């Protein structure tokens, strides 16, 4: 073996500990080495003992992962590699960290079935460093860094303290202090203790422009630490602290430093229960944030009084383009206060007011607010507000006058508008020449919904329609399909939970034949049965929709026969990414027919065949094609009675599913043996894998 190959093999064995890095050259060399040696396993162990770091066994539950001996890969292994060879096994687009961190994170994945990845993205190609990457501090100094991402894909455990402490130690590096501009630590459950360590690092990152700390449970105490660490971050423009449960006390602590961020353009504090008191403090802190363009305060129990406090300040934010105050129960009074306080909103393009109980009376305030942002508003969400037929009529009057020429997205779902309100809405849509997305789901409209389709067919750019849960029936589906066929740009259609039956499924053929851009189709829970599946499959249009990426026919009891008919056309859907066949009584025979075509869907990433009575034999048919689905990231085979035998077959093929991140095998009568087999296959996936069982 040449010097270059030996260097590649040594470094490759080291890099194999990194879940996100594939080293095919190393695998091939090991295979060749095994063939030349009679006792391959013994030879490999000997090789590893000579060239691989020594490790101590980790006690299960240990936070920091396995403790490592000081004996580690020598720096010469990096220094000897030429740039060309280094580029082959460690390409610039790869995201990697040092050996010690990777080993510990890998152990965390194996012990807890979670998904942890530490991502350090270089701004230029990685170069060998004189000190070697044995510690996180030295790892940070390997390259000029402008972005750090620390993520945990599962909430089962938080990011280890040693990672945060390493970041704190690394902050003493002058290179990090001058170059770190973006830090993403979301979904890590670091808490107040972890926040204390992280804040120490933030004090020295004076060029930081973007910080994401969402979903970390830092609380009021942790927010105090964060506020102290951010005082010197004068360049901060993007701050996300959503879903951290810090309440009004934490909001006050953050508000005290907001005035330091003169260029702050993005602020997300949703779902923190800040209440009226927190809203008042936030309003004070935002007085000097004149560059604010994006504000999300949803799910915070603001009420009418809290919204009033914020509106007074937001009226001065001339650049405000995105405002989300959803789920705050602002009511009629809050809607009036918001309309009064915002003033002229010439820049506001996105307004989310859903789930606020504004009712029919609150629509008056909404109409006044729409008049103030008429020139710029493109996205309006007033779903779940109980505005009724009269309320939607008032909104329709504004739309009909052409007052919102840029409106592209309109959501009026769950407002009990009924057939009468739908007619009023139809009368106003003529003024929305830019409309591209409409959601009228859960409004008890009934079969007359086809009249809405007549108006929508006039918009050349119309692309998304959601009419789910409206009880439109087979006749309503037939009429609606007849007019939607003219919407040639239609890309997403949701007609789920509408009881369209087998006849309605056949009517969809008109839509499928003419809407060549259709990519998402949801016909879930429509009682189409096996005959409906056959009609859907046999219509001339389905085979022409080659661009379908998402298909949901779950909860339809199509059976084995319906699955066989549907499978015939799935084979031509080469772009299919998500397929949901949940609870369809597919059985073993149906799975065998489906498996024949699934191998053709090379881009399939999400597959749900749960609650289908597959059994062990059906599972065997499924696993036969999973290896061909190289992009598969999400697999749900729960409630299928696959047993230990099915688990063995599943585990055997999942070792080769390198992209798998989520596996659901709940309620399958899997015993200890099956669980052990599935557990063994998890470390073989290159990506983090979350198992729900």
């Amino acid at each position: 073996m040449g010097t270059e190959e030996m260097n590649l093999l040594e470094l490759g064995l080291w890099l194999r500990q990194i879940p996100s890095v594939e080293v095919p050259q190393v695998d091939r060399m090991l295979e060749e080495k095994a063939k030349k040696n009679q006792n391959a396993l013994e030879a490999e162990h000997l090789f590893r003992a000579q060239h691989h770091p020594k490790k101590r066994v980790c006690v299960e539950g240990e936070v920091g992962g396995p403790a490592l001996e000081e004996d580690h890969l020598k720096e010469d292994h990096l220094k000897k590699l030429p740039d060309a060879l280094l580029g082959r096994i460690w390409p610039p687009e790869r995201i990697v960290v040092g050996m010690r961190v990777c080993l510990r994170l890998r152990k965390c994945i194996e012990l807890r079935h979670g998904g942890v990845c530490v991502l350090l993205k270089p701004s230029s190609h990685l170069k060998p460093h004189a000190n070697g990457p044995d510690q996180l501090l030295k790892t940070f100094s390997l390259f000029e860094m402008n972005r750090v991402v620390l993520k945990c894909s599962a909430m089962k455990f938080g990011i280890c303290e040693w990672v945060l402490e390493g970041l704190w130690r690394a902050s003493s590096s002058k290179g990090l202090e001058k170059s770190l501009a973006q830090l993403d630590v979301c979904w890590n459950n670091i808490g107040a203790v972890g926040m204390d360590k992280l804040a120490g690092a933030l004090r020295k990152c004076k060029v930081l422009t973007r910080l994401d700390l969402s979903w970390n449970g830092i609380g009021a105490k942790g927010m105090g630490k964060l506020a102290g660490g951010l005082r010197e971050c004068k360049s901060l423009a993007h701050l996300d602290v959503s879903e951290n449960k810090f309440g009004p006390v934490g909001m006050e602590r953050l508000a005290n430093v907001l005035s330091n961020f003169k260029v702050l353009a993005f602020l997300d504090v949703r779902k923190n229960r800040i209440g009226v008191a927190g809203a008042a403090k936030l309003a004070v802190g935002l007085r000097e944030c004149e560059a604010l363009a994006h504000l999300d305060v949803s799910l915070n129990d603001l009420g009418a009084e809290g919204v009033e406090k914020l509106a007074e300040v937001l009226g001065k934010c001339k650049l405000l383009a995105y405002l989300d105050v959803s789920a705050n129960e602002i009511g009629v009074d809050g809607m009036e206060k918001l309309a009064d306080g915002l003033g002229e909103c010439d820049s506001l393009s996105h307004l989310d007011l859903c789930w606020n109980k504004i009712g029919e009376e609150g629509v008056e305030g909404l109409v006044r607010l729409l008049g103030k942002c008429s020139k710029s508003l493109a996205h309006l969400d007033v779903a779940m507000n109980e505005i009724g037929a009269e309320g939607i009529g008032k909104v329709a009057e504004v739309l009909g006058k052409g007052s919102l020429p840029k409106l592209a997205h309109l959501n009026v779902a769950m407002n009990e508008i009924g057939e009468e309100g739908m007619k009023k809405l139809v009368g106003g849509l003529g003024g929305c020449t830019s409309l591209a997305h409409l959601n009228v789901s859960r409004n008890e409209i009934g079969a007359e919904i086809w009249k809405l389709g007549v108006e929508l067919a006039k918009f050349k750019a119309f692309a998304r329609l959601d009419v789910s849960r409206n009880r439109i029936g087979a006749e309503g589906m037939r009429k609606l399909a007849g007019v939607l066929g003219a919407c040639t740009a239609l890309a997403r259609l949701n007609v789920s939970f509408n009881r369209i039956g087998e006849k309605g499924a056949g009517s969809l053929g008109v839509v499928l034949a003419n809407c060549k851009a259709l990519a998402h189709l949801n016909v879930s829970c429509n009682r189409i049965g096996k005959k409906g599946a056959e009609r859907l499959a046999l219509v001339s249009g389905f085979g022409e929709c080659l661009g379908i990426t998402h298909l949901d026919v779950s909860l339809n009891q199509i059976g084995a026969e319906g699955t066989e008919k549907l499978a015939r056309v799935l084979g031509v859907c080469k772009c299919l990414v998500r397929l949901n066949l949940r609870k369809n009584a597919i059985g073993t025979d149906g799975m065998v027919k489906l498996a024949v075509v699934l191998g053709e869907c090379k881009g399939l990433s999400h597959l749900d065949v749960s609650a289908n009575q597959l059994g062990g034999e059906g599972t065997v048919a499924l696993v036969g094609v999973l290896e061909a689905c190289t992009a598969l990231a999400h697999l749900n085979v729960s409630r299928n009675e696959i047993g230990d035998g099915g688990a063995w077959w599943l585990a055997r093929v999942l070792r080769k599913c390198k992209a798998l991140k989520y596996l659901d095998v709940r309620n399958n009568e899997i015993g200890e043996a099956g669980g052990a087999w599935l557990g063994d296959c998890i470390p073989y996936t290159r990506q983090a894998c979350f198992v729900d069982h």
Side-chain angles (χ1 to χ4, degrees), residues 75-90:
E75 60 188 59
D76 292 340
H77 291 281
L78 279 175
K79 293 171 66 176
K80 290 179 180 179
L81 291 175
D83 288 349
L85 179 59
L86 184 63
R88 284 171 53 197
I89 58 176
W90 208 338

CSV table of all heavy atoms in Angstrom, one decimal, residues 75-90:
chain,number,residue,atom,x,y,z
A,75,GLU,N,-0.6,15.0,14.8
A,75,GLU,CA,-0.9,16.0,13.9
A,75,GLU,C,-0.2,15.7,12.5
A,75,GLU,O,-0.6,16.3,11.5
A,75,GLU,CB,-0.3,17.3,14.4
A,75,GLU,CG,1.2,17.2,14.7
A,75,GLU,CD,1.7,18.5,15.4
A,75,GLU,OE1,1.2,18.7,16.5
A,75,GLU,OE2,2.6,19.1,14.9
A,76,ASP,N,0.8,14.9,12.5
A,76,ASP,CA,1.5,14.6,11.3
A,76,ASP,C,0.5,14.0,10.2
A,76,ASP,O,0.7,14.1,9.0
A,76,ASP,CB,2.6,13.6,11.5
A,76,ASP,CG,3.7,14.2,12.3
A,76,ASP,OD1,3.8,15.5,12.3
A,76,ASP,OD2,4.5,13.5,12.9
A,77,HIS,N,-0.5,13.3,10.7
A,77,HIS,CA,-1.4,12.7,9.7
A,77,HIS,C,-2.2,13.7,8.9
A,77,HIS,O,-2.6,13.4,7.8
A,77,HIS,CB,-2.4,11.8,10.5
A,77,HIS,CG,-1.8,10.6,11.1
A,77,HIS,ND1,-1.5,9.4,10.3
A,77,HIS,CD2,-1.4,10.3,12.3
A,77,HIS,CE1,-1.0,8.5,11.1
A,77,HIS,NE2,-0.9,9.0,12.3
A,78,LEU,N,-2.3,14.9,9.5
A,78,LEU,CA,-3.0,16.0,8.7
A,78,LEU,C,-1.9,16.7,7.9
A,78,LEU,O,-2.1,17.1,6.8
A,78,LEU,CB,-3.7,17.0,9.7
A,78,LEU,CG,-5.1,16.6,10.2
A,78,LEU,CD1,-5.5,17.6,11.2
A,78,LEU,CD2,-6.0,16.5,9.0
A,79,LYS,N,-0.8,17.0,8.5
A,79,LYS,CA,0.3,17.8,7.9
A,79,LYS,C,0.8,17.1,6.6
A,79,LYS,O,1.2,17.8,5.7
A,79,LYS,CB,1.4,18.1,8.9
A,79,LYS,CG,0.9,19.0,10.0
A,79,LYS,CD,2.0,19.1,11.1
A,79,LYS,CE,3.2,19.8,10.7
A,79,LYS,NZ,4.2,20.0,11.8
A,80,LYS,N,0.9,15.8,6.6
A,80,LYS,CA,1.5,15.1,5.5
A,80,LYS,C,0.6,15.1,4.3
A,80,LYS,O,1.0,14.8,3.2
A,80,LYS,CB,1.8,13.7,5.9
A,80,LYS,CG,3.0,13.6,6.9
A,80,LYS,CD,3.3,12.1,7.2
A,80,LYS,CE,4.4,12.0,8.3
A,80,LYS,NZ,4.7,10.6,8.6
A,81,LEU,N,-0.7,15.3,4.4
A,81,LEU,CA,-1.7,15.1,3.3
A,81,LEU,C,-1.6,16.3,2.4
A,81,LEU,O,-1.7,17.5,2.8
A,81,LEU,CB,-3.1,15.0,3.9
A,81,LEU,CG,-3.4,13.7,4.6
A,81,LEU,CD1,-4.8,13.8,5.2
A,81,LEU,CD2,-3.3,12.5,3.7
A,82,PRO,N,-1.4,16.1,1.1
A,82,PRO,CA,-1.5,17.2,0.1
A,82,PRO,C,-2.9,17.7,0.0
A,82,PRO,O,-3.9,17.0,0.3
A,82,PRO,CB,-1.0,16.5,-1.2
A,82,PRO,CG,-1.4,15.0,-1.0
A,82,PRO,CD,-1.2,14.8,0.5
A,83,ASP,N,-3.0,18.9,-0.5
A,83,ASP,CA,-4.3,19.6,-0.6
A,83,ASP,C,-5.3,18.7,-1.5
A,83,ASP,O,-6.5,18.6,-1.2
A,83,ASP,CB,-4.2,21.0,-1.2
A,83,ASP,CG,-3.6,21.9,-0.2
A,83,ASP,OD1,-3.4,21.5,1.0
A,83,ASP,OD2,-3.2,23.0,-0.6
A,84,ALA,N,-4.8,18.2,-2.6
A,84,ALA,CA,-5.7,17.4,-3.5
A,84,ALA,C,-6.3,16.2,-2.8
A,84,ALA,O,-7.5,15.9,-2.9
A,84,ALA,CB,-4.9,17.0,-4.7
A,85,LEU,N,-5.5,15.5,-2.0
A,85,LEU,CA,-6.0,14.3,-1.3
A,85,LEU,C,-6.9,14.7,-0.2
A,85,LEU,O,-8.0,14.1,0.0
A,85,LEU,CB,-4.8,13.5,-0.7
A,85,LEU,CG,-5.2,12.3,0.1
A,85,LEU,CD1,-5.9,11.3,-0.8
A,85,LEU,CD2,-3.9,11.6,0.6
A,86,LEU,N,-6.6,15.8,0.5
A,86,LEU,CA,-7.5,16.3,1.6
A,86,LEU,C,-8.8,16.7,1.0
A,86,LEU,O,-9.9,16.5,1.6
A,86,LEU,CB,-6.8,17.5,2.3
A,86,LEU,CG,-7.6,18.1,3.5
A,86,LEU,CD1,-7.7,17.0,4.6
A,86,LEU,CD2,-6.9,19.3,4.0
A,87,GLY,N,-8.8,17.3,-0.2
A,87,GLY,CA,-10.0,17.7,-0.8
A,87,GLY,C,-10.9,16.5,-1.2
A,87,GLY,O,-12.2,16.6,-1.2
A,88,ARG,N,-10.3,15.4,-1.5
A,88,ARG,CA,-11.1,14.2,-1.8
A,88,ARG,C,-11.9,13.6,-0.7
A,88,ARG,O,-13.0,13.2,-0.8
A,88,ARG,CB,-10.2,13.1,-2.4
A,88,ARG,CG,-9.7,13.3,-3.8
A,88,ARG,CD,-8.6,12.3,-4.2
A,88,ARG,NE,-9.0,10.9,-3.9
A,88,ARG,CZ,-8.2,9.9,-3.8
A,88,ARG,NH1,-6.9,10.1,-4.0
A,88,ARG,NH2,-8.7,8.7,-3.6
A,89,ILE,N,-11.2,13.5,0.5
A,89,ILE,CA,-11.9,12.9,1.6
A,89,ILE,C,-12.5,13.9,2.6
A,89,ILE,O,-13.3,13.5,3.5
A,89,ILE,CB,-10.9,12.0,2.4
A,89,ILE,CG1,-9.7,12.9,2.9
A,89,ILE,CG2,-10.4,10.9,1.6
A,89,ILE,CD1,-8.7,12.1,3.8
A,90,TRP,N,-12.2,15.2,2.4
A,90,TRP,CA,-12.7,16.2,3.3
A,90,TRP,C,-13.1,17.4,2.4
A,90,TRP,O,-12.5,18.4,2.5
A,90,TRP,CB,-11.7,16.6,4.4
A,90,TRP,CG,-12.3,17.1,5.6
A,90,TRP,CD1,-13.6,17.6,5.8
A,90,TRP,CD2,-11.7,17.1,6.9
A,90,TRP,NE1,-13.8,17.9,7.1
A,90,TRP,CE2,-12.7,17.7,7.8
A,90,TRP,CE3,-10.5,16.8,7.4
A,90,TRP,CZ2,-12.4,17.8,9.2
A,90,TRP,CZ3,-10.2,16.9,8.7
A,90,TRP,CH2,-11.2,17.5,9.6
